[in-house]
Short mmCIF file of all heavy atoms in Angstrom, two decimals:
data_model
loop_
_atom_site.label_atom_id
_atom_site.label_comp_id
_atom_site.label_asym_id
_atom_site.label_seq_id
_atom_site.Cartn_x
_atom_site.Cartn_y
_atom_site.Cartn_z
N ARG A 1 110.89 62.84 -33.92
CA ARG A 1 112.15 62.11 -33.73
C ARG A 1 113.11 62.42 -34.85
O ARG A 1 114.00 61.60 -35.15
CB ARG A 1 111.84 60.64 -33.61
CG ARG A 1 111.03 60.26 -32.39
CD ARG A 1 110.78 58.76 -32.39
NE ARG A 1 109.88 58.49 -31.30
CZ ARG A 1 110.20 57.89 -30.18
NH1 ARG A 1 111.46 57.55 -29.98
NH2 ARG A 1 109.32 57.64 -29.27
N GLY A 2 112.98 63.53 -35.55
CA GLY A 2 113.86 63.88 -36.59
C GLY A 2 113.54 63.24 -37.94
O GLY A 2 114.31 63.22 -38.85
N GLY A 3 112.33 62.75 -38.05
CA GLY A 3 111.89 62.06 -39.30
C GLY A 3 111.47 63.09 -40.34
O GLY A 3 111.40 64.29 -40.10
N THR A 4 111.20 62.56 -41.51
CA THR A 4 110.79 63.38 -42.66
C THR A 4 109.43 63.99 -42.47
O THR A 4 108.50 63.31 -41.98
CB THR A 4 110.76 62.51 -43.94
OG1 THR A 4 112.14 61.99 -44.14
CG2 THR A 4 110.36 63.30 -45.14
N VAL A 5 109.30 65.22 -42.89
CA VAL A 5 108.01 65.95 -42.98
C VAL A 5 107.80 66.36 -44.42
O VAL A 5 108.70 66.92 -45.03
CB VAL A 5 108.03 67.18 -42.05
CG1 VAL A 5 106.72 67.97 -42.24
CG2 VAL A 5 108.29 66.83 -40.61
N THR A 6 106.66 66.05 -44.94
CA THR A 6 106.33 66.35 -46.40
C THR A 6 104.99 67.01 -46.41
O THR A 6 104.04 66.55 -45.78
CB THR A 6 106.26 65.04 -47.16
OG1 THR A 6 107.54 64.36 -47.12
CG2 THR A 6 105.99 65.35 -48.62
N THR A 7 104.90 68.11 -47.18
CA THR A 7 103.61 68.74 -47.45
C THR A 7 103.44 68.96 -48.96
O THR A 7 104.35 69.43 -49.64
CB THR A 7 103.53 70.13 -46.73
OG1 THR A 7 103.78 69.96 -45.36
CG2 THR A 7 102.19 70.78 -46.92
N GLN A 8 102.26 68.65 -49.42
CA GLN A 8 101.93 68.87 -50.82
C GLN A 8 100.81 69.93 -50.88
O GLN A 8 99.83 69.82 -50.17
CB GLN A 8 101.43 67.55 -51.46
CG GLN A 8 102.45 66.43 -51.45
CD GLN A 8 101.95 65.16 -52.09
OE1 GLN A 8 100.80 65.06 -52.41
NE2 GLN A 8 102.84 64.23 -52.27
N ILE A 9 101.05 70.92 -51.71
CA ILE A 9 100.07 72.00 -51.87
C ILE A 9 99.73 72.13 -53.34
O ILE A 9 100.63 72.32 -54.16
CB ILE A 9 100.58 73.35 -51.40
CG1 ILE A 9 101.09 73.24 -49.95
CG2 ILE A 9 99.55 74.44 -51.51
CD1 ILE A 9 101.85 74.47 -49.46
N CYS A 10 98.47 72.04 -53.66
CA CYS A 10 98.03 72.23 -55.06
C CYS A 10 97.18 73.53 -55.08
O CYS A 10 96.24 73.68 -54.28
CB CYS A 10 97.21 71.04 -55.54
SG CYS A 10 98.20 69.53 -55.61
N VAL A 11 97.48 74.34 -56.06
CA VAL A 11 96.84 75.67 -56.19
C VAL A 11 96.29 75.79 -57.63
O VAL A 11 97.09 75.60 -58.56
CB VAL A 11 97.84 76.79 -55.90
CG1 VAL A 11 97.19 78.17 -56.10
CG2 VAL A 11 98.38 76.67 -54.52
N ALA A 12 95.00 76.14 -57.80
CA ALA A 12 94.45 76.35 -59.08
C ALA A 12 93.11 77.05 -58.91
O ALA A 12 92.66 77.36 -57.81
CB ALA A 12 94.28 75.01 -59.81
N GLU A 13 92.41 77.31 -60.01
CA GLU A 13 91.06 77.83 -59.90
C GLU A 13 90.19 76.84 -59.19
O GLU A 13 89.32 77.23 -58.41
CB GLU A 13 90.55 78.20 -61.31
CG GLU A 13 91.24 79.28 -61.99
CD GLU A 13 91.25 80.58 -61.24
OE1 GLU A 13 90.18 80.96 -60.65
OE2 GLU A 13 92.30 81.21 -61.12
N LYS A 14 90.34 75.56 -59.50
CA LYS A 14 89.61 74.49 -58.80
C LYS A 14 90.55 73.33 -58.60
O LYS A 14 91.12 72.79 -59.59
CB LYS A 14 88.38 74.06 -59.62
CG LYS A 14 87.56 73.03 -58.92
CD LYS A 14 86.94 73.55 -57.61
CE LYS A 14 86.14 72.47 -56.90
NZ LYS A 14 86.00 72.75 -55.46
N VAL A 15 90.77 72.91 -57.38
CA VAL A 15 91.63 71.78 -57.07
C VAL A 15 90.77 70.62 -56.56
O VAL A 15 89.96 70.80 -55.67
CB VAL A 15 92.69 72.21 -55.96
CG1 VAL A 15 93.59 71.01 -55.67
CG2 VAL A 15 93.52 73.31 -56.43
N TYR A 16 90.98 69.48 -57.11
CA TYR A 16 90.18 68.27 -56.72
C TYR A 16 90.96 67.35 -55.78
O TYR A 16 90.32 66.58 -55.08
CB TYR A 16 89.74 67.53 -57.99
CG TYR A 16 88.87 68.35 -58.83
CD1 TYR A 16 89.30 69.06 -59.93
CD2 TYR A 16 87.50 68.48 -58.51
CE1 TYR A 16 88.45 69.86 -60.70
CE2 TYR A 16 86.63 69.29 -59.29
CZ TYR A 16 87.11 69.96 -60.36
OH TYR A 16 86.28 70.75 -61.07
N SER A 17 92.27 67.47 -55.78
CA SER A 17 93.08 66.60 -54.90
C SER A 17 94.38 67.26 -54.54
O SER A 17 94.98 67.98 -55.37
CB SER A 17 93.35 65.27 -55.64
OG SER A 17 94.33 64.53 -54.95
N PRO A 18 94.91 67.06 -53.32
CA PRO A 18 96.13 67.62 -52.91
C PRO A 18 97.35 66.73 -53.30
O PRO A 18 98.50 67.07 -52.96
CB PRO A 18 96.01 67.72 -51.42
CG PRO A 18 95.18 66.57 -51.06
CD PRO A 18 94.19 66.42 -52.22
N VAL A 19 97.10 65.66 -53.95
CA VAL A 19 98.17 64.66 -54.22
C VAL A 19 98.98 65.07 -55.44
O VAL A 19 98.43 65.35 -56.49
CB VAL A 19 97.55 63.27 -54.42
CG1 VAL A 19 98.63 62.23 -54.81
CG2 VAL A 19 96.78 62.82 -53.21
N ILE A 20 100.27 65.08 -55.26
CA ILE A 20 101.24 65.37 -56.33
C ILE A 20 101.92 64.07 -56.72
O ILE A 20 102.54 63.42 -55.83
CB ILE A 20 102.26 66.46 -55.89
CG1 ILE A 20 101.57 67.72 -55.56
CG2 ILE A 20 103.33 66.67 -56.95
CD1 ILE A 20 102.43 68.81 -54.94
N GLU A 21 101.83 63.69 -57.94
CA GLU A 21 102.45 62.44 -58.41
C GLU A 21 103.88 62.72 -58.87
O GLU A 21 104.28 63.90 -59.02
CB GLU A 21 101.68 61.89 -59.63
CG GLU A 21 100.21 61.56 -59.34
CD GLU A 21 99.99 60.37 -58.38
OE1 GLU A 21 100.95 59.50 -58.30
OE2 GLU A 21 98.97 60.29 -57.77
N ALA A 22 104.64 61.70 -59.08
CA ALA A 22 106.02 61.82 -59.53
C ALA A 22 106.11 62.67 -60.80
O ALA A 22 105.26 62.51 -61.70
CB ALA A 22 106.63 60.44 -59.77
N GLY A 23 106.97 63.68 -60.86
CA GLY A 23 107.15 64.48 -62.00
C GLY A 23 106.18 65.63 -62.16
O GLY A 23 106.23 66.35 -63.15
N GLU A 24 105.34 65.84 -61.18
CA GLU A 24 104.26 66.88 -61.33
C GLU A 24 104.58 68.19 -60.59
O GLU A 24 104.01 69.21 -60.95
CB GLU A 24 102.95 66.35 -60.77
CG GLU A 24 102.25 65.35 -61.66
CD GLU A 24 100.88 65.02 -61.17
OE1 GLU A 24 100.49 65.35 -60.05
OE2 GLU A 24 100.15 64.34 -61.94
N ALA A 25 105.41 68.14 -59.57
CA ALA A 25 105.64 69.39 -58.79
C ALA A 25 106.40 70.39 -59.62
O ALA A 25 107.45 70.05 -60.25
CB ALA A 25 106.41 69.10 -57.54
N ASP A 26 105.93 71.64 -59.70
CA ASP A 26 106.67 72.69 -60.40
C ASP A 26 107.61 73.37 -59.41
O ASP A 26 108.57 74.05 -59.86
CB ASP A 26 105.76 73.69 -61.10
CG ASP A 26 104.80 74.31 -60.12
OD1 ASP A 26 105.20 75.15 -59.33
OD2 ASP A 26 103.59 73.92 -60.16
N THR A 27 107.38 73.23 -58.12
CA THR A 27 108.23 73.85 -57.11
C THR A 27 108.47 72.84 -56.00
O THR A 27 107.55 72.22 -55.47
CB THR A 27 107.57 75.08 -56.52
OG1 THR A 27 107.25 76.03 -57.55
CG2 THR A 27 108.47 75.78 -55.51
N LEU A 28 109.76 72.68 -55.64
CA LEU A 28 110.17 71.88 -54.50
C LEU A 28 110.96 72.77 -53.55
O LEU A 28 111.96 73.35 -53.97
CB LEU A 28 111.01 70.67 -54.94
CG LEU A 28 111.69 69.78 -53.87
CD1 LEU A 28 110.65 69.22 -52.92
CD2 LEU A 28 112.44 68.68 -54.53
N LEU A 29 110.43 72.93 -52.36
CA LEU A 29 111.10 73.71 -51.33
C LEU A 29 111.55 72.77 -50.27
O LEU A 29 110.79 72.09 -49.63
CB LEU A 29 110.08 74.72 -50.72
CG LEU A 29 110.65 75.69 -49.65
CD1 LEU A 29 111.69 76.64 -50.26
CD2 LEU A 29 109.48 76.52 -49.07
N SER A 30 112.93 72.58 -50.14
CA SER A 30 113.47 71.63 -49.23
C SER A 30 114.23 72.29 -48.11
O SER A 30 115.09 73.21 -48.36
CB SER A 30 114.40 70.69 -49.99
OG SER A 30 114.96 69.75 -49.11
N PHE A 31 114.05 71.84 -46.92
CA PHE A 31 114.67 72.38 -45.70
C PHE A 31 115.97 71.73 -45.31
O PHE A 31 116.64 72.08 -44.41
CB PHE A 31 113.63 72.31 -44.57
CG PHE A 31 112.48 73.19 -44.76
CD1 PHE A 31 111.54 72.92 -45.71
CD2 PHE A 31 112.33 74.34 -44.00
CE1 PHE A 31 110.43 73.75 -45.94
CE2 PHE A 31 111.22 75.17 -44.18
CZ PHE A 31 110.26 74.86 -45.16
N GLU A 32 116.36 70.72 -46.17
CA GLU A 32 117.60 69.95 -45.89
C GLU A 32 118.04 69.28 -47.19
O GLU A 32 117.18 68.92 -48.05
CB GLU A 32 117.28 68.89 -44.82
CG GLU A 32 118.52 68.28 -44.17
CD GLU A 32 119.05 67.05 -44.95
OE1 GLU A 32 118.34 66.44 -45.74
OE2 GLU A 32 120.26 66.72 -44.76
N LEU A 33 119.33 69.17 -47.39
CA LEU A 33 119.86 68.65 -48.67
C LEU A 33 119.43 67.24 -49.07
O LEU A 33 118.91 67.06 -50.13
CB LEU A 33 121.44 68.69 -48.61
CG LEU A 33 122.04 70.08 -48.73
CD1 LEU A 33 123.49 70.06 -48.26
CD2 LEU A 33 121.92 70.60 -50.14
N LEU A 34 119.59 66.32 -48.16
CA LEU A 34 119.24 64.94 -48.47
C LEU A 34 117.74 64.76 -48.74
O LEU A 34 117.34 63.98 -49.59
CB LEU A 34 119.71 63.99 -47.36
CG LEU A 34 119.60 62.49 -47.68
CD1 LEU A 34 120.27 62.06 -48.96
CD2 LEU A 34 120.10 61.67 -46.51
N GLU A 35 116.92 65.51 -47.98
CA GLU A 35 115.47 65.46 -48.21
C GLU A 35 115.14 65.95 -49.64
O GLU A 35 114.23 65.43 -50.29
CB GLU A 35 114.73 66.27 -47.14
CG GLU A 35 114.82 65.70 -45.75
CD GLU A 35 114.27 64.24 -45.63
OE1 GLU A 35 113.38 63.89 -46.32
OE2 GLU A 35 114.81 63.58 -44.76
N ALA A 36 115.89 66.92 -50.11
CA ALA A 36 115.69 67.37 -51.51
C ALA A 36 116.03 66.25 -52.46
O ALA A 36 115.26 65.99 -53.42
CB ALA A 36 116.59 68.56 -51.84
N LYS A 37 117.14 65.58 -52.29
CA LYS A 37 117.47 64.44 -53.10
C LYS A 37 116.42 63.29 -53.13
O LYS A 37 116.01 62.78 -54.15
CB LYS A 37 118.84 63.91 -52.78
CG LYS A 37 119.32 62.80 -53.65
CD LYS A 37 120.71 62.24 -53.30
CE LYS A 37 121.11 61.16 -54.22
NZ LYS A 37 122.39 60.59 -53.85
N ARG A 38 115.95 63.01 -51.92
CA ARG A 38 114.91 61.97 -51.78
C ARG A 38 113.62 62.33 -52.51
O ARG A 38 112.93 61.42 -53.00
CB ARG A 38 114.60 61.73 -50.27
CG ARG A 38 115.72 61.05 -49.56
CD ARG A 38 115.36 60.92 -48.09
NE ARG A 38 116.37 60.23 -47.31
CZ ARG A 38 116.43 60.24 -46.03
NH1 ARG A 38 115.53 60.94 -45.29
NH2 ARG A 38 117.42 59.58 -45.42
#
């Protein structure tokens, strides 16, 4: 219905969780301007 879609990807030698906390993402790929701001 046009709602938000979010995917978190964690990449390392060993990853224990896919969860990205506030301030942790080194890359943000946004498909729309307002979604980037959010």
Side-chain angles (χ1 to χ4, degrees):
R1 296 179 187 253
T4 299
V5 176
T6 302
T7 304
Q8 298 180 353
I9 305 170
C10 296
V11 178
E13 293 303 316
K14 182 64 181 156
V15 178
Y16 297 97
S17 170
V19 177
I20 298 173
E21 301 291 338
E24 286 187 350
D26 56 74
T27 303
L28 173 56
L29 183 64
S30 180
F31 293 70
E32 194 274 338
L33 286 163
L34 188 56
E35 294 300 329
K37 183 179 178 184
R38 288 177 178 163

